[in-house]
Amino acid sequence: QLIVIDEIGRLERDAYAYQEALRRCIEGDAPMLCVIRKLQAPSADWIRNHPRVELLEVTLDNREDVPRKAALLARENWNLLRG
C-alpha cells in the first residue's frame, strides 16, 4: 500500500482533522509520496521536519530526473517497484 497526496500547503493550515489524519499516516506503516509546497506554512513545516520524511526538491533544472530518484527511494526504502 502506498499513500499519495498531492500538494500539502497553506490551504491545510485550518484543516485540523486533515492535519491529524496526515500525522497518523506519516507515523503509520504505509509509505507515502507527497507534494509539499516550498513556501513556508506551519501546516506543512512539521512534515518537512518529521524524522521519517525525506525531501526531494523539484526545480526546472532537475525535474526530469526526479521520477528516477523517487523510484530509487521507493525501491531502497519501501521495497516497492521491484524489477
Side-chain angles (χ1 to χ4, degrees):
Q1 177 182 3
L2 173 67
I3 299 171
V4 178
I5 301 175
D6 185 27
E7 194 138 358
I8 299 167
R10 293 184 305 226
L11 295 178
E12 291 78 20
R13 71 177 174 261
D14 295 326
Y16 302 113
Y18 177 82
Q19 288 179 37
E20 182 54 34
L22 238 127
R23 186 177 309 278
R24 285 193 310 272
C25 287
I26 288 175
E27 293 172 355
D29 294 330
M32 298 178 68
L33 178 63
C34 305
V35 175
I36 303 175
R37 290 186 56 116
K38 187 170 183 173
L39 297 174
Q40 297 298 315
S43 58
D45 289 343
W46 70 267
I47 298 169
R48 285 186 193 89
N49 298 316
H50 195 282
R52 294 189 63 196
V53 171
E54 183 161 349
L55 298 174
L56 290 176
E57 183 175 7
V58 180
T59 66
L60 288 174
D61 293 332
N62 76 354
R63 68 182 178 181
E64 298 298 323
D65 196 41
V66 168
R68 183 191 64 76
K69 287 182 179 179
L72 182 63
L73 280 171
R75 278 193 294 274
E76 291 175 350
N77 297 303
W78 305 327
N79 198 26
L80 296 173
L81 302 174
R82 294 183 200 118

